[in-house]
Amino acid sequence: MLESKLIKYLVELVSVYSPSGKEAEVAKVVRDIASELGLSSWIDSVGNVWISHSKIDCRNADVMVIGHIDTVPGYISVKVEGDIVWGRGAVDAKGPLLAYLYAISKLEIDNYKICLGGLVGEEADSPGANYILKEGFKSKHLFIAEPSGYNSVVIGYRGSLPVQVVCKTVGGHAASPDPSRSAYERFHEAWSMLRGKYGKVQSNAPSISVTKIVAGEYGNMLPTYLEARLDIRLWHDSEREEVLNELKHVFGEQGCTVHVLNYIRPVRVKPQQPTPRSLIRSMLRQGIRPKIVVKLGTSDMNLLVPTVSRDAAAYGPGDPKLAHSLEERISVKDIVRAANVIANAILQLRQWDLSSR
């Protein structure tokens, strides 16, 4: 039975703990599953696993699917409840990867190059995606295998701007609290001024989360040093300088400095482009009412569009709200639904491409 088979495959995938940098073992599992489904697979020089109907050069594809085989840290015990599989990566993004694997295995298409890449390090600094960019990979159409829900098409992601804040003071005795002498109090004062504006998600406005704070040297001393990491998310590239300037001003008034760690620009495509349109039409044909969304986080889509392809969409089964959580789980029925949507979408793209030649 199909669902039992896919449950078996997914349990095999999530049973292998594969945080970023430790993907080699799960890559072997992906290759074993691909082989059982009648597909060819190989590993590139950085550890990405590639799958197609035969071993081909994926640098110039008709359809390219990009997923990832790494996860965030934090093991979750694997269990199965009916058609629900629990485990780290079930949603983000081994479940979506399995949906594309199964969909591609159902397609027997001549003279149409379909490649699936399970990339390494997407949850870290994306060495897998950067390899694709360095090697000049191109594709007419690009699917990003990320959880959207089987009834949603993702046409964009916000940008990411992580920064480090450093506060230094002379310190003092804890018995004589003086906010001006505490690095923590300096940081807290500045963040309190910013939190009301940026501390929650708003449509069309940046958001900021404090994700890490390190401070304090001794139990009865006011901290002389604080280091914090802030995660800034942007809807538009034009917001970058404005937010940075405000942070530098507000933290600067407290004697703190702001350092940019990285920047990933926002990405958005038009839903009328062939790849998102093929997914939307495929859902409608199967009686699914499609939703078009822009996600709050980032993915390799931010890096690969438009260099690899200008025509792209992210799609895959799984509730995005469960990603990275201790409740990560996915319905295998949704994997089957998504696989049917994917297979039909690829067939539509091939038909449109052939008719335009």
Side-chain angles (χ1 to χ4, degrees):
M1 187 176 176
L2 175 59
E3 284 185 18
S4 298
K5 186 177 183 180
L6 293 179
I7 287 172
K8 171 182 173 291
Y9 288 155
L10 186 56
V11 167
E12 290 173 358
L13 288 168
V14 299
S15 294
V16 178
Y17 184 51
S18 57
S20 303
K22 298 180 179 180
E23 301 97 341
E25 187 178 349
V26 78
K28 294 177 183 177
V29 175
V30 173
R31 295 192 68 187
D32 288 342
I33 294 171
S35 179
E36 287 190 33
L37 291 172
L39 299 169
S40 297
S41 66
W42 60 99
I43 305 286
D44 66 25
S45 61
V46 298
N48 297 325
V49 56
W50 291 94
I51 295 120
S52 189
H53 285 94
S54 60
K55 188 170 182 179
I56 55 177
D57 185 356
C58 288
R59 285 174 175 80
N60 189 14
D62 292 301
V63 169
M64 186 179 294
V65 177
I66 295 298
H68 62 94
I69 56 175
D70 67 317
T71 69
V72 294
Y75 181 76
I76 299 174
S77 296
V78 178
K79 62 180 178 179
V80 179
E81 296 177 339
D83 79 307
I84 307 296
V85 177
W86 294 65
R88 176 61 74 213
V91 172
D92 192 4
K94 295 175 181 179
L97 187 73
L98 180 59
Y100 281 91
L101 262 173
Y102 176 65
I104 291 170
S105 74
K106 295 197 302 177
L107 299 174
E108 295 183 8
I109 301 176
D110 295 326
N111 302 318
Y112 201 67
K113 191 183 290 187
I114 304 170
C115 291
L116 186 156
L119 305 194
V120 296
E122 192 271 351
E123 300 290 2
D125 54 357
S126 295
N130 285 315
Y131 170 84
I132 290 176
L133 294 170
K134 179 183 176 183
E135 294 295 316
F137 280 58
K138 301 289 182 183
S139 183
K140 291 179 185 175
H141 314 289
L142 177 64
F143 291 84
I144 304 295
E146 287 282 349
S148 60
Y150 72 90
N151 61 343
S152 296
V153 178
V154 178
I155 61 166
Y157 288 85
R158 292 197 298 175
S160 172
L161 180 64
V163 301
Q164 181 188 60
V165 177
V166 175
C167 302
K168 298 178 182 179
T169 59
V170 296
H173 200 291
S176 302
D178 180 350
S180 68
R181 301 172 73 88
S182 166
Y184 172 79
E185 294 293 347
R186 293 281 188 94
F187 173 84
H188 180 72
E189 179 69 20
W191 174 238
S192 296
M193 296 176 65
L194 295 164
R195 183 169 49 199
K197 182 176 181 180
Y198 295 115
K200 59 184 178 181
V201 176
Q202 304 174 74
S203 60
N204 256 11
S207 66
I208 303 176
S209 296
V210 179
T211 59
K212 185 178 181 180
I213 298 177
V214 178
E217 300 86 26
Y218 201 66
N220 63 357
M221 289 174 56
L222 299 178
T224 63
Y225 182 87
L226 177 142
E227 186 177 298
R229 177 162 174 151
L230 275 58
D231 186 297
I232 306 169
R233 300 291 172 148
L234 308 171
W235 291 103
H236 307 287
D237 189 65
S238 58
E239 298 167 333
R240 179 186 179 188
E241 289 304 317
E242 180 182 346
V243 174
L244 268 180
N245 288 338
E246 185 171 1
L247 260 65
K248 289 177 179 179
H249 172 71
V250 173
F251 280 107
E253 287 191 330
Q254 298 298 324
C256 305
T257 56
V258 176
H259 310 274
V260 175
L261 300 175
N262 191 18
Y263 179 58
I264 298 174
R265 58 177 179 73
V267 63
R268 191 173 299 196
V269 299
K270 295 179 180 179
Q272 297 85 1
Q273 289 179 296
T275 296
R277 183 158 56 99
S278 71
L279 288 165
I280 292 167
R281 287 170 62 96
S282 181
M283 289 182 202
L284 290 171
R285 287 180 177 180
Q286 296 180 51
I288 300 170
R289 186 175 181 179
K291 299 177 183 177
I292 300 172
V293 299
V294 176
K295 290 185 73 172
L296 300 178
T298 59
S299 77
D300 281 339
M301 183 171 169
N302 295 71
L303 300 177
L304 301 179
V305 176
T307 306
V308 172
S309 180
R310 293 183 176 275
D311 176 37
Y315 175 74
D319 182 351
K321 293 179 182 178
L322 298 177
H324 298 195
S325 79
L326 295 177
E327 297 184 332
E328 194 168 359
R329 62 192 185 276
I330 194 168
S331 163
V332 171
K333 285 186 173 68
D334 286 353
I335 291 178
V336 174
R337 292 187 184 101
N340 290 332
V341 169
I342 293 160
N344 187 266
I346 292 174
L347 288 174
Q348 287 183 71
L349 289 172
R350 179 177 181 269
Q351 182 180 355
W352 294 339
D353 287 347
L354 290 176
S355 65
S356 64
R357 288 178 182 173

